[in-house]
Every structure is written in structure tokens, then in C-alpha cells.
Amino acid sequence: LAKTTQPISMDSYEGQEVNITCSHNNIATNDYITWYQQFPSQGPRFIIQGYKTKVTNEVASLFIPADRKSSTLSLPRVSLSDTAVYYCLVGDMFSGGYNKLIFGAGTRLAVHP
Amino acid sequence: DGGITQSPKYLFRKEGQNVTLSCEQNLNHDAMYWYRQDPGQGLRLIYYSQIVNDFQKGDIAEGYSVSREKKESFPLTVTSAQKNPTAFYLCASSIGVGDTEAFFGQGTRLTVV
């Protein structure tokens, strides 16, 4: 099973770039890396997904080195509304084709004025 | 609009009573999931289903039961055997095999008194 390790919490200030790194040493060949964002009392929301190198969308960038044992979510110029919990997870396939989404504890990002 | 709907948003029950949480999706997704979240904690997987009439236990299935009679519906019953049922419950769905982009409902906050 591919498992992930992230920092428990991070602090930043408005306008700064935030980089959250996730370790996934046992990632499998067919696994994708996915990041979610969760605000209090809401369900998580998909942010970005990638397999290798770099992926960018209107919300964030995802950097994945060649060995794929880690990934970094980059949030450019954060605002107070980016205060949330961020989860890193990898696709988890079992025999029989089941896909079980395993969420770790996530990283609690606090953005300060 | 396509989406995933959980109801009710808030639920109160007396200790010892079974309670069923509803989850409906119109995204035509094959896979559905139930998670539990306690205050300040990450998501823990209760049950998941890949296809109709089939489901698998997650990490904390004891005291819970599910059914998947229709593709669109994946209700969760919290039974009296669950020792500490008060929590925030989240339902999610994804296209299916290998897909880690999941869509979440808004959650049901269950309080047992």
C-alpha cells in the first residue's frame, strides 16, 4: 500500500508562496498523486493531480521528481481564504481492481494577514 | 447539475438507536466511499464500493453497515454497536477503477446523545 507523510501544520502570510511536500516512498508504477483541500465542515475538494514532472492549473502547481518518491504542492501568493487542510494521496489499487482512496492526516495551513 | 448529495446535514439520535445516512450521486460514478472525520483529524475510510451489489470494509468498518442496491445510492447505517458514533461523515464518489479524483458531499454531522 502506498502511504504518504506530510507536515502536520504550516504557517504563512498573505502574498507568499507556500510549498507543501509529501513523501510517498512506496508509490507504485501505476499510481497517480492527488491533492485535496478541505475547509472546516466541508467535504474535501480536488485541487490537482499528476504522474510525473510538473502539472499546473489555475489553483496550484504540482512538482514531482523523477523518482516519484515525493511531491510538492505549490500555492502561489496565498490569501486568507487558502487557510485549510491539504491532503496528499496516491492511487491505491488492489487485486480485483478496487480503488481505495486513503487520506492521511493532512497538512493544516494557516495563512496570516 | 451533477453532484453528490448527503442528507441530512445535521442529525441527532439517542444512544442505542440505529441511524441511516443518505448519499446519492448523479455523476454516473461506479465507485463510492464513506469516511468518518473526528474534530481536528483526517478522514478515515469506513466502507467503499466499486460496483452495484458489492462493497468492501475500510479501516474502521466495525459498527457500520452499507448497501449498494443502486449505482446512484450508497447509504450508511450507524448501528448501536458503534461505540463512539458522534462524528462528521463524508460520502464521496469517483469514476471507478484507478481514478483518484473523487467528488465529496457536504457531509452529515451526527450527534448521539
Side-chain angles (χ1 to χ4, degrees):
Chain A
L1 301 179
K3 293 191 176 181
T4 61
T5 303
Q6 306 174 233
I8 294 174
S9 64
M10 294 181 69
D11 289 275
S12 183
Y13 292 92
E14 285 190 291
Q16 290 187 335
E17 178 184 76
V18 171
N19 295 311
I20 306 174
T21 297
C22 178
S23 297
H24 27 79
N25 291 320
N26 297 321
I27 189 169
T29 302
N30 294 329
D31 284 343
Y32 277 72
I33 300 154
T34 310
W35 285 81
Y36 286 80
Q37 175 191 58
Q38 185 183 24
F39 298 114
S41 298
Q42 295 187 24
R45 179 178 73 106
F46 172 91
I47 301 176
I48 196 167
Q49 183 178 83
Y51 184 81
K52 62 180 179 181
T53 62
K54 177 184 175 182
V55 180
T56 297
N57 62 21
E58 65 278 5
V59 177
S61 294
L62 178 60
F63 299 92
I64 305 168
D67 66 6
R68 303 199 331 121
K69 294 185 182 297
S70 67
S71 59
T72 299
L73 175 73
S74 181
L75 304 173
R77 297 179 298 280
V78 294
S79 65
L80 296 177
S81 63
D82 292 314
T83 294
V85 178
Y86 293 83
Y87 297 95
C88 162
L89 60 154
V90 295
D92 199 357
M93 296 293 294
F94 293 89
S95 61
Y98 279 88
N99 183 17
K100 188 168 96 171
L101 298 181
I102 300 296
F103 284 76
T107 297
R108 194 170 298 271
L109 173 66
V111 179
H112 305 282
Chain B
D1 289 335
I4 181 163
T5 302
Q6 290 185 242
S7 62
K9 189 171 183 179
Y10 299 96
L11 190 55
F12 295 87
R13 278 295 181 269
K14 291 184 178 180
E15 192 172 343
Q17 290 183 334
N18 291 353
V19 60
T20 298
L21 282 59
S22 171
C23 179
E24 303 277 335
Q25 54 98 359
N26 60 3
L27 299 166
N28 199 33
H29 285 171
D30 285 317
M32 296 188 74
Y33 315 81
W34 272 106
Y35 295 89
R36 168 183 173 138
Q37 188 171 39
D38 293 291
Q41 304 297 312
L43 282 70
R44 291 188 290 169
L45 183 65
I46 305 173
Y47 269 98
Y48 62 105
S49 169
Q50 189 61 53
I51 55 174
V52 174
N53 293 323
D54 196 8
F55 47 82
Q56 300 294 320
K57 292 182 179 180
D59 299 323
I60 56 165
E62 185 176 351
Y64 300 97
S65 65
V66 293
S67 63
R68 188 84 186 275
E69 298 177 0
K70 300 187 299 182
K71 187 176 185 178
E72 303 80 17
S73 179
F74 191 40
L76 173 75
T77 297
V78 184
T79 75
S80 57
Q82 169 52 234
K83 300 304 180 187
N84 186 19
T86 294
F88 187 48
Y89 291 88
L90 286 159
C91 179
S93 70
S94 62
I95 291 175
V97 172
D99 185 62
T100 55
E101 182 177 356
F103 295 80
F104 281 80
Q106 287 302 300
T108 293
R109 190 167 299 279
L110 173 65
T111 302
V112 175
V113 296

